């Protein structure tokens, strides 16, 4: 099972920004599509964003389009989620995800431990 290590969560005011990072091994990084999911209290885990194995295509949930940007860096085996104009409804635990060969849009093969994002109004 691949190891995914997230960082970058925290507390921010509405309208602010955060950048989440997810680092993994080189083998996982070059063989997997990568993505982010989130789970708010009392709700099911939901898709946020994903990026293809070679980074040429990205996918976003409607709720974050135009505010969040996913990217990947081959030199550090890291996937990023830049989150701008954050809203209180973005408050959740954010999970990094990896899926062999394709972007994880509905399921994943491997998950990170999660990082808390809290947006105050």
């Amino acid at each position: 099972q691949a190891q995914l290590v997230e960082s970058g969560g925290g507390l921010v005011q509405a309208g602010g920004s955060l950048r989440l990072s997810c680092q993994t091994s080189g083998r996982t990084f070059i063989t997997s599509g990568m993505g982010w999911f989130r789970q708010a209290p009392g709700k099911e885990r939901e898709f946020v964003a994903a990026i293809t194995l070679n980074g040429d295509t990205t996918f976003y949930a409607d709720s974050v389009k135009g505010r969040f940007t996913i990217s990947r860096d081959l030199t550090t085996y890291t996937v990023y989620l830049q989150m701008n104009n954050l809203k209180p409804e973005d408050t959740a635990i954010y999970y990094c995800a990896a899926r062999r060969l394709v972007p994880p849009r509905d399921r994943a093969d491997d998950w990170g431990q999660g990082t808390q994002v809290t947006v105050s109004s």
Side-chain angles (χ1 to χ4, degrees):
Q1 188 170 0
Q3 185 177 19
L4 308 175
V5 181
E6 300 124 332
S7 60
L11 173 64
V12 64
Q13 289 188 332
S17 298
L18 284 174
R19 189 177 76 160
L20 305 183
S21 301
C22 172
Q23 190 170 34
T24 187
S25 68
R27 179 175 181 175
T28 297
F29 192 86
I30 65 174
T31 59
S32 301
M34 303 292 293
W36 293 89
F37 288 70
R38 68 186 181 187
Q39 187 168 18
K43 295 187 177 181
E44 294 187 351
R45 188 176 299 188
E46 65 176 3
F47 168 75
V48 175
I51 188 167
T52 52
L53 189 152
N54 60 5
D56 63 348
T57 305
T58 56
F59 306 89
Y60 297 95
D62 288 343
S63 59
V64 306
K65 279 182 182 176
R67 301 188 298 122
F68 291 11
T69 302
I70 188 171
S71 61
R72 57 192 295 160
D73 184 348
L74 179 59
T75 63
T76 59
Y77 306 138
T78 302
V79 176
Y80 299 100
L81 185 67
Q82 177 66 44
M83 306 185 293
N84 297 328
N85 190 22
L86 283 160
K87 304 176 180 180
E89 52 263 43
D90 294 318
T91 295
I93 298 174
Y94 283 70
Y95 296 91
C96 181
R99 186 176 176 186
R100 305 291 178 266
L101 303 178
V102 297
R105 300 176 66 185
D106 57 351
R107 65 178 182 87
D109 298 317
D110 301 294
W111 297 92
Q113 80 285 358
T115 185
Q116 177 70 47
V117 172
T118 303
V119 185
S120 63
S121 58

